[in-house]
């Protein structure tokens, strides 16, 4: 089957992307995989100024998942433009830059500075649960989601992807706010807020106390949210949350995702994109999928 997919009126070689934060800027991954295999590549979150992130310990493994509280550690925009973006551009033709800020104006400034760069799209991180300002606080308010997306849309010529948090009671209203603000797509979902406890010290394992839960354990929750949002919005959905195989990709696409991001599974399988693409090809042939458009959003619900 032809794995190419159209997104933002541009053709990608396949629907796979590495989720922001699990791929850094691709330099480490390039040492053990062909990063050009991905349909597009996404940067680690970039902020205006450099961030040290949260104090360690910042990562703990959980049952069927990973809890992290990195805190958006990154070298800042200027260093990224000078030292990191050129590497990404040299190794892939579709680069998505993930950005975050404490205020609406931070996002606007980042978008303005990215104008003129050779990138594919900008992903607005409205969903990190591990920072004290901005992050998830932005993504839990439909009004703030609208403010950020509309302000960025006014200054950016690139497609905008709103990355939303699942830590809300109504994910549909958040996705609708992003669409109404001018987002060209939404990515669903980021990590779920969680806690790991060390009974010996009687303290949380993470120095930040709480962290974001990812991995196979969140896949059913993410699938449900993608399916819900697909029925409510008109812009594309990029699905993520616990994807580890070609079958997982097909499930997310059947629920309504046009493309997918794979996150913590990258840490367990250095050869992940090659393996998942092979599985995706095999599974789609078994199911006789004629085209992605015939499959995306084709979930058949039981009638009550």
């Amino acid at each position: 089957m032809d794995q190419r997919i159209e997104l933002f009126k541009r053709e990608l070689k396949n629907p796979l992307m590495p989720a922001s934060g699990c791929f850094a800027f691709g330099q480490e991954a390039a040492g053990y995989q062909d990063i050009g295999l991905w349909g597009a590549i996404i940067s680690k979150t970039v902020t205006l100024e450099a961030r040290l992130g949260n104090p360690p310990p910042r990562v703990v493994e959980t049952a069927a998942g990973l809890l992290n509280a990195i805190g958006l550690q990154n070298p800042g925009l200027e260093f990224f433009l000078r030292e990191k973006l050129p590497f990404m551009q040299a190794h892939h033709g579709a680069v998505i830059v993930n950005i975050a800020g404490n205020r609406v104006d931070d996002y606007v400034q980042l978008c303005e500075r990215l104008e003129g760069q050779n990138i594919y799209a900008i992903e607005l991180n409205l969903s990190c649960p591990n920072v004290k300002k901005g992050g998830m606080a932005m993504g839990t308010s439909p009004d703030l989601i609208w403010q950020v997306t509309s302000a960025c849309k006014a200054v950016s010529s690139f497609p905008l992807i709103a990355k939303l948090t699942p830590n809300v009671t109504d994910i549909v209203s958040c996705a609708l706010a992003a669409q109404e603000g001018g987002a060209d797509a939404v990515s669903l979902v980021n990590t779920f807020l969680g806690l790991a406890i060390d009974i010996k010290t009687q303290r949380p394992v993470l120095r930040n106390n709480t962290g974001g839960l990812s991995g196979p354990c969140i896949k059913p929750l993410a699938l449900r949210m993608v399916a819900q949002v697909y029925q409510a919005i008109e812009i594309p959905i990029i699905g993520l949350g616990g994807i580890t195989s070609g079958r997982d990709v097909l499930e997310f696409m059947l629920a309504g995702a046009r493309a997918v991001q794979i996150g913590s599974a990258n840490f367990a399988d250095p050869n992940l994109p090659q393996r998942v693409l092979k599985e995706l090809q095999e599974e789609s042939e078994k199911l006789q999928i004629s085209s992605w458009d015939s499959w995306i959003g084709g979930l058949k619900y039981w009638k009550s």
Side-chain angles (χ1 to χ4, degrees):
M1 176 187 167
D2 186 347
Q3 295 188 346
R4 290 176 296 180
I5 192 81
E6 184 181 296
L7 185 65
F8 310 139
K9 299 181 180 180
R10 177 174 166 181
E11 187 178 88
L12 299 179
K13 64 183 72 176
N14 61 66
L16 305 189
M17 308 173 186
S20 175
C22 300
F23 188 71
F25 300 106
Q27 291 162 308
E28 293 83 2
Y32 51 80
Q33 67 175 230
D34 177 5
I35 65 176
L37 289 174
W38 298 95
I41 57 174
I42 306 176
S43 77
K44 182 173 176 56
T45 298
V46 177
T47 54
L48 284 172
E49 304 296 333
R51 292 179 60 104
L52 293 175
N54 293 323
R58 306 195 294 189
V59 178
V60 59
E61 190 172 358
T62 66
L66 183 72
L67 201 63
N68 89 86
I70 305 301
L72 300 185
Q73 177 183 340
N74 77 95
L77 178 65
E78 295 306 322
F79 189 90
F80 168 74
L81 292 175
R82 185 174 66 251
E83 302 291 340
K84 301 297 186 180
L85 183 57
F87 176 89
M88 298 181 75
Q89 292 168 330
H91 286 76
H92 207 291
V95 175
I96 298 173
V97 180
N98 181 291
I99 64 172
N102 298 330
R103 303 167 301 147
V104 173
D105 189 57
D106 292 344
Y107 288 88
V108 171
Q109 288 186 55
L110 285 157
C111 286
E112 289 176 333
R113 289 288 288 111
L114 287 168
E115 279 297 291
Q117 298 292 335
N118 181 24
I119 61 175
Y120 174 59
I122 295 173
E123 185 173 55
L124 307 173
N125 187 350
L126 304 171
S127 51
C128 181
N130 308 311
V131 292
K132 299 191 186 308
K133 294 182 179 180
M136 192 175 74
M138 293 272 191
T140 57
S141 166
D143 182 59
L144 281 175
I145 292 170
W146 181 88
Q147 287 184 43
V148 174
T149 52
S150 60
C152 290
K153 192 68 176 178
V155 300
S156 179
S157 62
F158 295 112
L160 298 179
I161 306 165
K163 187 171 186 178
L164 303 179
T165 176
N167 299 294
V168 294
T169 55
D170 184 4
I171 190 66
V172 171
S173 65
C174 294
L176 285 169
Q179 177 177 271
E180 291 165 6
D184 298 280
V186 293
S187 46
L188 303 171
V189 295
N190 205 332
T191 56
F192 287 79
L193 193 61
L195 173 70
I197 293 175
D198 184 337
I199 59 172
K200 292 181 180 178
T201 64
Q202 300 171 40
R203 290 181 179 274
V205 175
L206 298 175
R207 183 62 177 78
N208 190 62
N209 294 319
T210 58
L213 180 65
S214 61
C217 57
I218 74 168
K219 192 185 89 172
L221 300 170
L223 277 172
R224 185 263 299 175
M225 290 186 168
V226 167
Q228 273 187 303
V229 169
Y230 178 74
Q231 297 177 72
I233 67 174
E234 297 177 358
I235 57 177
I237 298 170
I238 301 172
L240 66 153
I243 297 173
T244 64
S245 68
R247 292 192 67 166
D248 290 341
V249 174
L250 289 176
E251 288 180 30
F252 270 84
M253 296 180 81
L254 196 60
R258 188 157 194 82
V260 299
Q261 296 176 12
I262 305 178
S264 53
N266 283 286
F267 301 132
D269 183 2
N271 196 40
L272 185 137
Q274 184 175 350
R275 174 180 61 80
V276 173
L277 286 170
K278 182 174 182 291
E279 293 171 354
L280 189 58
Q281 183 68 27
E282 293 172 349
E283 293 292 339
S284 59
E285 288 177 356
K286 287 179 186 177
L287 293 165
Q288 299 181 327
I289 300 172
S290 59
S291 69
W292 288 136
D293 285 337
S294 69
W295 184 259
I296 294 168
L299 186 60
K300 301 172 183 177
Y301 291 91
W302 296 103
K303 295 181 179 179
S304 57

